[in-house]
Amino acid sequence: MSWEIVIGLETHAQLSTRSKIFSGAATAFGAAPNTQACGVDIALPGTLPVLNRGAVERAIRFALAVGGELNRTSVFARKNYFYPDLPKGYQISQYEAPIVAGGALTILAGGAEKVVRLTRAHLEEDAGKSLHEDFHGASGIDLNRAGTPLLEIVSEPDMRSAEEAVAYARTLHALVRWIEICDGNMQEGSFRCDANVSVRRPGAPLGTRCEIKNLNSFRFLERAIEHEARRQIEILEAGGRIDQETRLYDPERDETRSLRSKEEAHDYRYFPDPDLLPLAVSEQWIAEIRSRMPELPAARRARFESRYKLSPQVAAQVTASRDKADFFERSLMKIDTETYPEAPRDLANVTVGELTSQMNERGLEFSQSPVSPEQIGRVQALVLDGTISGKIAKDVRKAMWEGEGDPDAIVARRGLRQISDAGALEAIVAEVLAANPRSVEEFRAGKEKALNALVGQVMKATKGKANPQQVNDLLKGKLSG
Amino acid sequence: MSLSSSDVLRIAQLARLEVTPAEVAAVQQDLNGILALVAQLQAVDTAGVAPMAHAQDVMLRLRADEVTEADQHRLFQAIAPQVEADLYLVPKVIE
């Protein structure tokens, strides 16, 4: 009998505010230790927290994007625990009344759409960093990160495989960047996941879960869940019992190990923070933020499918980021899509293939591309009006990546214009036929493939500047004659 | 509700307070006294009354997202017991 894996994710998205959630200290990454930790962040006695409007606004944007319920009144609570990178002795978080309740995210996994429900999303502050290198037997504390705003996004246990969990994490990652509430930089810890994993027989009640921490890449998330599920199944099949515990994923060994059991679990003793009044979110504020929301990824994907006739897979790839979707649509503006209805599909393929790998190689976002979407569109327009062949288009784009400027200039300078003079092309075809008697013979003997070799020879002789269809027709005419 | 001596030791442990065996009985009595006071409050019928998170009936004021605090770590670290490489040093803790 098979096992079913049940996964829920808790994600910490660092909100892209300039200043901290409860203080006016900067949040920039990579500053010298403790240079961005003010009196509030280091918990000097007598200091008080004042909530950052930008952090609340980002939480509202998230609620609107996932269709969550915005609690018009929410409350900040103290989560009490002792650790040196938490100088107050408590983390300010939200407990009983989080700012966002519910909502959902639609993911694409295994070729099918699936809706993952969200439990809640709440605002909280990050802790500082402990450095355990040896400082003469002591630990070093950097409080720059202390007080950085986080949105903790909690999903329902709706995922059934590591693949689905990764699809959810990727969709959420794309969404928070799309609505510009988080930069999504996983190396810098701006987007971190914890996974709750359990296994059960299909239809049985939920099994005992283990929480896996320290998952700062999609690959680690996938491997950690697969490993953890295998571990639990092995225990259960050997007649054992799963203990609820927190486990840490070790990417070097590709295994999880116990961090603490339920018995040792923290007792956080949450209570409303008396330093902060309840947070009110007005209808007017929500309406104002709603009016500034961009078209969301799911809506844009659906529009690309219906308007440009893209396949669901390509539409999903083009809308993987707002940058990329914008680039694609801007490149289309150079093209008359009424006359050339296939052009959007061709450009979408160029965008998700060639352009995406160029960006990845250069480590750039689409918004930082050295080649403009208008230039990419122009190249396609030159193909459509027969000025250059599709093969040459690739060379023109390559030249643009190398900084050679506008497509028209490249075509003119390099003499890449397609040979449209039928007489000139016929002469080349005749030469190729005379030079390749064996291929001619093979074709006449019924070997269709021999024609491809001849087309290739003509293309080579014209340096790719012939129209392949025209060459094909000319060759067939000559050979049958 | 009243606390046992093991409850007292658990609470002390969570608060990182050292309570010696000789002190347990006295602390237990004090805490139970406080709980008795809370029990009086709990006797009030609050059915239909929305729970309050704060004693004042006003809402939180927000600040604009602006960096207003300059770096003062030298000043702060002047009163720290131990500092190295701009880090606050604390007894080694590894969870």
Side-chain angles (χ1 to χ4, degrees), chain A residues 161-209:
Chain A
S161 66
E163 187 200 353
E164 284 185 7
V166 171
Y168 165 84
R170 283 188 185 277
T171 307
L172 183 61
H173 183 253
L175 180 69
V176 296
R177 296 182 67 212
W178 189 288
I179 60 174
E180 294 173 319
I181 65 171
C182 168
D183 70 16
N185 191 323
M186 296 175 85
Q187 286 80 43
E188 293 177 5
S190 300
F191 188 90
R192 335 192 267 267
C193 293
D194 299 336
N196 283 303
V197 179
S198 63
V199 298
R200 65 173 172 186
R201 297 297 188 188
L206 287 176
T208 303
R209 68 168 195 262

Side-chain angles (χ1 to χ4, degrees), chain A residues 22 63 88 94 104 178 212 229 233 239 300 342-343 364 367-368 383 408 423 426 443 447 465 467 481:
Chain A
F22 297 116
K88 291 194 299 296
Q94 296 193 300
W178 189 288
I212 319 171
I233 289 167
R300 205 154 190 197
E342 295 85 35
L364 295 177
S367 56
Q368 302 166 315
V383 175
D408 290 272
E426 266 183 63
F443 178 77
K447 245 180 112 180
K465 289 187 287 181
N467 179 328

Side-chain angles (χ1 to χ4, degrees), chain A residues 17-20 23-24 34-35 50-53 82 84 132 136-139 141 260 267 274 277-278, chain B residues 10 14 16 54 59-60 62-63 65-69 71 73 77 84 86-90 92-93 95:
Chain A
T17 54
R18 285 188 286 274
S19 63
K20 298 209 171 153
S23 84
N34 291 305
T35 55
V50 187
L51 184 58
N52 183 340
R53 173 180 290 272
F82 287 99
H132 299 298
H136 333 288
S139 290
I141 306 294
R260 56 176 175 261
D267 180 347
L277 295 161
Chain B
R10 164 98 179 124
L14 283 170
R16 301 293 188 273
H54 202 277
M59 288 296 171
L60 195 56
L62 305 176
R63 43 170 264 276
D65 178 23
E66 282 161 11
V67 177
T68 53
E69 296 291 327
D71 170 26
H73 79 285
Q77 294 190 339
E84 190 177 311
D86 293 332
L87 299 165
Y88 296 93
L89 294 196
V90 298
K92 194 148 199 136
V93 266
E95 198 174 10

Side-chain angles (χ1 to χ4, degrees), chain A residues 291-308:
Chain A
S291 73
R292 286 188 283 117
M293 289 289 283
E295 182 184 28
L296 295 170
R300 205 154 190 197
R301 201 172 71 218
R303 183 165 64 80
F304 282 5
E305 283 178 38
S306 65
R307 179 160 171 205
Y308 301 131

